[in-house]
Amino acid sequence: MQRILYEAKTQIKKELPFVLYANPNSNKLNAYFQKNDELEVFKGQSGFVFAPFSNTESYIISLSNSNFLSESIKKIEIENILLDISIDQKAKKNFEDLVNKGIVEINNNLFEKVVLSRKVVVPVKMDFEATFLRLLQSYNTAFRYLFYHPKIGMWMGATPEQLLKVEGDKISTVALAGTQLYKDSLIWEEKELQEQQFVSDFIIHEITPFVKNITISEPFTAKAGTLAHIKTTISAYLKEKESANKLLFQIHPTPAVCGLPKKEAMAFVLQNEGYDRKFYSGFLGEWNIKDESNLFVNLRCMEVEEEKINLYVGCGITKDSNPEKEFFETENKLVTMLKIIKV
């Protein structure tokens, strides 16, 4: 792992792109180091994809233009640190007002669900290497990554949500929604069950033209760090292998990060959130490497700048949402990143 970290620091000094990542439940750290500083647009070529929330241009560190390394993740002792940030009452009010506005539009039948988010700026100079090592060990069941491009910046995260897996002609995905702090006995409210059903129904509807033999699991509780979500697994077989790329952009963004119907929810988000999500709630991961793709939704993530960190958190809003409760759901999600930051 020392070689990968050394190469990563060298790439930063040379202002050259790279990505380090580990798949869920894996102790292997993989890395692609790009050979030049080109910002390459994703058009279906093999490599590591990094895509924004809105369906604008997506980017890739391509297999043909980078060097690959893989090493075992070395275990380290992790001290318990929780970067303490007090609740910003103005930010709380602004978010609750935004949620109320979303609920009004749901009651006006503009959409059934909308996912609203906020950006939290923490003014610290972070040790990105130490923080990434803590992230790798703290969230072993998540997809963990560190992405750098001089024309994009540095992003880091540990996401629990798979967007799409392709193995030959077999595809699999998940519908993930609802959030609570994890405990041994959980009761899901109707609002959370409904929110998750929206995601399942949307995905099944969108993939149906491209696939056959769809299999859908019963919803179950899935643990992600200190949080719990409702999860359904969905699998099927492509009618044509070449349609995987079209299917990908058909389902992104799902109602788990945008809303339903997608067009109206997306317009509301872009017009009312008051900031640019950039790559938060976009997707990232391996595309068409050895006939396999493995993509994840970019949640529980941070954007690392020189003297500050931008954290991004959101939650699904339905007609039964409580604005203050939704705000504190975003606070719970902040802890995922705050507890691994090393300054």
Side-chain angles (χ1 to χ4, degrees):
M1 197 163 73
Q2 291 304 313
R3 185 182 172 192
I4 284 180
L5 294 174
Y6 173 80
E7 291 293 339
K9 286 183 280 190
T10 301
Q11 292 282 108
I12 290 174
K13 286 178 184 176
K14 293 180 177 178
E15 296 189 338
L16 293 175
F18 70 88
V19 64
L20 318 181
Y21 66 97
N23 285 308
N25 302 305
S26 171
N27 69 342
K28 285 287 183 185
L29 180 62
N30 302 311
Y32 284 101
F33 298 104
Q34 191 169 303
K35 298 172 186 176
N36 57 30
D37 67 352
E38 177 189 357
L39 186 58
E40 188 174 347
V41 175
F42 174 54
K43 296 178 180 176
Q45 64 272 50
S46 300
F48 190 97
V49 182
F50 201 60
F53 163 67
S54 57
N55 271 325
T56 52
E57 284 188 332
S58 305
Y59 304 103
I60 188 164
I61 295 179
S62 63
L63 209 61
S64 60
N65 192 29
S66 58
N67 297 314
F68 176 76
L69 282 178
S70 184
E71 295 181 300
S72 295
I73 295 172
K74 183 182 176 183
K75 286 193 174 182
I76 59 169
E77 289 294 322
I78 297 180
E79 54 186 321
N80 287 324
I81 302 172
L82 179 58
L83 197 63
D84 184 31
I85 61 169
S86 58
I87 292 175
D88 181 334
Q89 293 299 324
K90 184 179 178 182
K92 181 175 183 288
K93 182 181 185 307
N94 287 343
F95 188 71
E96 290 174 5
D97 287 347
L98 176 63
V99 171
N100 269 319
K101 195 172 182 179
I103 294 169
V104 167
E105 296 297 359
I106 291 170
N107 289 327
N108 288 338
N109 297 314
L110 182 63
F111 36 69
E112 296 176 86
K113 172 189 173 181
V114 64
V115 179
L116 299 174
S117 69
R118 62 192 182 101
K119 173 180 168 180
V120 180
V121 180
V122 184
V124 295
K125 188 176 178 67
M126 190 183 80
D127 181 334
F128 83 88
E129 181 182 346
T131 299
F132 183 61
L133 290 174
R134 289 167 60 82
L135 181 146
L136 281 174
Q137 296 227 153
S138 298
Y139 301 115
N140 187 56
T141 61
F143 178 81
R144 297 143 287 163
Y145 79 92
L146 170 62
F147 181 95
Y148 170 76
H149 196 295
K151 296 170 184 173
I152 288 175
M154 180 181 287
W155 286 71
M156 186 185 305
T159 174
E161 184 169 349
Q162 185 154 54
L163 177 65
L164 181 66
K165 186 169 188 177
V166 185
E167 301 167 283
D169 65 346
K170 183 181 179 182
I171 67 122
S172 53
T173 184
V174 301
L176 193 78
T179 303
Q180 290 188 43
L181 286 172
Y182 185 83
K183 54 188 177 183
D184 289 336
S185 57
L186 285 170
I187 298 174
W188 294 104
E189 296 178 3
E190 182 59 34
K191 176 260 177 188
E192 295 158 326
L193 294 168
Q194 182 188 50
E195 186 186 342
Q196 202 272 341
Q197 192 62 50
F198 282 151
V199 183
S200 294
D201 291 346
F202 168 84
I203 291 174
I204 293 162
H205 179 268
E206 295 301 310
I207 69 172
T208 295
F210 300 94
V211 301
K212 57 188 177 183
N213 303 333
I214 299 175
T215 303
I216 308 158
S217 77
E218 290 294 321
F220 60 94
T221 297
K223 185 180 180 184
T226 59
L227 303 177
H229 307 285
I230 313 171
K231 184 175 181 178
T232 299
T233 60
I234 301 164
S235 63
Y237 291 86
L238 291 165
K239 294 174 182 175
E240 299 175 3
K241 283 178 67 174
E242 298 76 20
S243 65
N245 197 32
K246 286 183 180 178
L247 184 150
L248 167 62
F249 287 98
Q250 191 73 16
I251 62 173
H252 171 72
T254 74
V257 295
C258 181
L260 194 70
K262 181 159 69 173
K263 182 181 176 183
E264 289 78 7
M266 172 77 83
F268 183 87
V269 166
L270 297 177
Q271 290 167 15
N272 292 280
E273 275 191 339
Y275 82 100
D276 183 358
R277 288 191 185 186
K278 298 182 181 177
F279 295 90
Y280 163 64
S281 65
F283 65 84
L284 72 167
E286 302 161 313
W287 183 260
N288 196 27
I289 297 174
K290 297 180 181 177
D291 206 28
E292 292 189 9
S293 301
N294 201 15
L295 302 177
F296 294 83
V297 183
N298 196 12
L299 303 174
R300 314 296 184 273
C301 64
M302 66 175 92
E303 180 185 19
V304 183
E305 298 191 55
E306 194 65 35
E307 300 290 338
K308 64 180 181 179
I309 306 160
N310 301 317
L311 302 172
Y312 299 87
V313 284
C315 50
I317 308 304
T318 69
K319 62 180 176 61
D320 299 317
S321 289
N322 176 296
E324 186 173 44
K325 185 177 178 183
E326 300 298 348
F327 173 80
F328 283 110
E329 179 178 317
T330 67
E331 286 289 298
N332 289 336
K333 289 175 178 176
L334 278 177
V335 174
T336 303
M337 291 292 104
L338 289 175
K339 70 184 290 187
I340 55 98
I341 292 171
K342 182 82 171 174
V343 297

